[in-house]
Amino acid sequence: MVQEKRGVGPYLTHVALSAVLNLPRLLPYNRRLPAVGWLAANIVGPIAGYDKRIRNNLAVACPDMPPAQVKQMVRAVLTNAGRFLAEMWSGDAFYKRLQNTKLSGPGVTAMETAKAAGRPIIAISGHFGNYDAARAVTIQAGYNAGALYRPMSNAYFNESYKARMVGFEGKAFEQSRRGMAEMVKHLRQGGLLAILLDQREDQGAKLSFFGQPAMTTLAVAEMALKYDTLFIPIFAIRQENGLDFDIVVEDPIAHSDAETMMQQFNDRLEARVRQNMDQFLWIHNRWQLPSAD
């Protein structure tokens, strides 16, 4: 469970973040995203220490990356993170931008077959590109989609975040006892559950990610086995214009055992990240680095 934080400090942080995310909404959509991306890369990220976290993680995952490239990556990662938040806070404008975006990739047929049969689907992804774009497009494609999310530790900011997670026409399940019960009911009714599986889980298994041991949850793969769900990776890859996305559905991960299935997901995610390194959120403490918190 996330420890909820209240008080003057968290409240002021909430006010500052809300200003950064809401004021740019006065700008046209195609100017709003670059503006918030610039703020994230040049002001918010460095002040929050996110630039240091990115460097620490890159040193583990890509120790041979030249310093000049690391510097470029830090800026690009923070820019993408800012664009993602601007999109999330854009609500209907973001949803409408995606209306002509289609699901693509070798796994689309498997998803359509599962939907037609009423078979539940667990769509797995990571903090890459803009995972919310994938959720929006699955909803627009007629899937009964819901997302499991981890609440923010800042209690004030979490209310705004939750409102946007519930947005569009889908459902959102908080990572809590009540939320988990609602999520299981959703799956039993043949729904699609979107979930991100790339954060450290100390109660999980020590699997490999970028050649390093990474504590990885097994619970979602175990759930896929228990409820006989399609277990399928989906990635939203930002296009060069910075505004649009390719939503790629990969081949399903075959049911076997939870560790094998989750290692295959780690491998799939790593392959995607290596193709678009700047679109991965290198801020999370994935490898439990003491200096990254």
Side-chain angles (χ1 to χ4, degrees), residues 203-278:
Q203 304 304 314
K206 188 179 291 185
L207 304 181
S208 176
F209 186 58
F210 274 83
Q212 302 294 328
M215 296 302 293
T216 303
T217 182
L218 300 181
V220 179
E222 290 168 348
M223 187 165 56
L225 293 170
K226 180 177 181 179
Y227 297 107
D228 188 30
T229 79
L230 189 69
F231 197 59
I232 191 162
I234 302 180
F235 298 104
I237 305 164
R238 191 180 296 279
Q239 295 181 5
E240 288 188 12
N241 66 7
L243 300 171
D244 299 309
F245 294 88
D246 295 318
I247 311 300
V248 180
V249 184
E250 296 195 349
D251 285 320
I253 291 176
H255 286 199
S256 53
D257 62 86
E259 287 200 18
T260 299
M261 293 165 69
M262 287 308 304
Q263 183 58 65
Q264 189 170 352
F265 169 73
N266 281 0
D267 294 343
R268 300 269 197 103
L269 175 61
E270 179 180 334
R272 287 289 171 187
V273 172
R274 287 188 180 278
Q275 292 175 26
N276 294 277
M277 293 281 286
D278 59 321

Side-chain angles (χ1 to χ4, degrees), residues 121-291:
I121 300 168
I122 297 182
I124 49 179
S125 194
H127 292 81
F128 174 78
N130 183 340
Y131 51 86
D132 230 25
R135 182 168 68 108
V137 173
T138 59
I139 292 170
Q140 292 173 357
Y143 289 85
N144 178 19
L148 179 68
Y149 73 96
R150 182 177 298 188
M152 300 283 190
S153 60
N154 186 315
Y156 307 103
F157 188 68
N158 185 61
E159 289 305 310
S160 296
Y161 179 70
K162 179 180 179 180
R164 280 143 185 90
M165 284 299 298
V166 175
F168 309 147
E169 300 169 9
K171 305 177 181 70
F173 311 110
E174 185 176 283
Q175 193 170 317
S176 63
R177 181 175 297 179
R178 179 178 177 181
M180 296 296 280
E182 293 173 345
M183 178 196 69
V184 169
K185 181 180 179 181
H186 176 72
L187 280 176
R188 283 177 168 168
Q189 292 174 342
L192 179 150
L193 175 67
I195 187 168
L196 308 180
L197 299 179
D198 60 333
Q199 288 185 268
R200 188 181 80 241
E201 177 52 69
D202 293 335
Q203 304 304 314
K206 188 179 291 185
L207 304 181
S208 176
F209 186 58
F210 274 83
Q212 302 294 328
M215 296 302 293
T216 303
T217 182
L218 300 181
V220 179
E222 290 168 348
M223 187 165 56
L225 293 170
K226 180 177 181 179
Y227 297 107
D228 188 30
T229 79
L230 189 69
F231 197 59
I232 191 162
I234 302 180
F235 298 104
I237 305 164
R238 191 180 296 279
Q239 295 181 5
E240 288 188 12
N241 66 7
L243 300 171
D244 299 309
F245 294 88
D246 295 318
I247 311 300
V248 180
V249 184
E250 296 195 349
D251 285 320
I253 291 176
H255 286 199
S256 53
D257 62 86
E259 287 200 18
T260 299
M261 293 165 69
M262 287 308 304
Q263 183 58 65
Q264 189 170 352
F265 169 73
N266 281 0
D267 294 343
R268 300 269 197 103
L269 175 61
E270 179 180 334
R272 287 289 171 187
V273 172
R274 287 188 180 278
Q275 292 175 26
N276 294 277
M277 293 281 286
D278 59 321
Q279 295 195 33
F280 186 55
L281 192 64
W282 292 92
I283 294 172
H284 290 142
N285 190 4
R286 187 67 181 92
W287 293 279
Q288 202 167 0
L289 306 176
S291 59

